[in-house]
Amino acid sequence: MCGLFRKLVAVALFLLIMLGHAGATDAFGENADSQRALSYEEIESVVQSARGRIVLINYFASWCPPCRMEIQDLIRIRREYSPEDLMIIGISLDEDANAMRSFVQKSAITYPVWLAESSVARKTGFVTIPYNRIYDASGTAVHAASGVLDADGLRDFLDESIRRNQRDVQ
């Protein structure tokens, strides 16, 4: 029963993220419970539910200057790629949900953003932010590193990965 419940939660989270991801101006998704923090396991379930597309998870905090700079690049990249090819999810390490919410609105973030449970950083293994983890279309982590992503390098990686995914599907 517990396994079924976890699967239902993962599917519900995936659908909520997709609502926000499909062009809605509210980065939390219309019905998303943005006050509720996601666990490491829930984040991983969302990634596995998104197989067939590249998933970039950006761990950040509203008070982090490099994070704020990187998010502007991610907003531009979100506009450049189809939701069928790329899913970007922001995971905030802010302790104050209102601070996160305010930052997301002021920054006009165009992808879903969720709070992280306090154990997420420890379970993920990073110690500094921004931290990014990229999964390929099969759900395998192919990049994980702290520091600001190089936007041009990310575009090159995405272009190559999307071409490879399209070849694999044909």
Side-chain angles (χ1 to χ4, degrees):
M1 183 69 160
C2 184
L4 177 61
F5 178 74
R6 281 182 179 254
K7 287 180 183 177
L8 289 173
V9 168
V11 169
L13 285 171
F14 176 73
L15 292 174
L16 288 173
I17 286 172
M18 291 312 297
L19 282 174
H21 186 68
T25 57
D26 179 0
F28 302 107
E30 288 183 31
N31 301 312
D33 181 4
S34 60
Q35 298 292 334
R36 189 178 74 73
L38 296 184
S39 69
Y40 173 81
E41 293 77 16
E42 289 170 318
I43 294 166
E44 289 297 311
S45 291
V46 170
V47 169
Q48 295 308 312
S49 298
R51 286 191 182 192
R53 76 184 85 198
I54 299 161
V55 178
L56 185 153
I57 300 184
N58 173 248
Y59 296 87
F60 74 96
S62 64
W63 46 262
C64 166
C67 300
R68 295 165 83 90
M69 180 179 69
E70 178 177 68
I71 285 171
Q72 294 309 307
D73 285 335
L74 293 177
I75 290 169
R76 283 188 285 278
I77 288 169
R78 170 66 276 143
R79 284 192 294 255
E80 295 170 14
Y81 290 88
S82 163
E84 289 79 32
D85 292 327
L86 173 66
M87 174 189 279
I88 299 177
I89 302 168
I91 302 294
S92 172
L93 302 176
D94 284 286
E95 293 179 4
D96 179 355
N98 290 328
M100 177 199 69
R101 201 179 262 279
S102 175
F103 171 72
V104 168
Q105 291 170 347
K106 286 179 187 172
S107 300
I109 295 177
T110 55
Y111 49 85
V113 176
W114 297 82
L115 282 171
E117 283 185 354
S118 60
S119 64
V120 166
R122 179 179 47 76
K123 288 183 177 180
T124 305
F126 63 89
V127 292
T128 61
I129 53 175
Y131 176 81
N132 293 284
R133 187 171 276 191
I134 302 173
Y135 298 83
D136 66 13
S138 71
T140 302
V142 294
H143 173 83
S146 292
V148 176
L149 282 172
D150 171 53
D152 291 332
L154 176 59
R155 284 181 183 93
D156 291 343
F157 170 80
L158 292 172
D159 292 342
E160 177 57 32
S161 296
I162 290 167
R163 277 193 297 274
R164 189 177 20 222
N165 289 348
Q166 290 169 343
R167 280 194 309 260
D168 291 346
V169 170
Q170 295 174 354

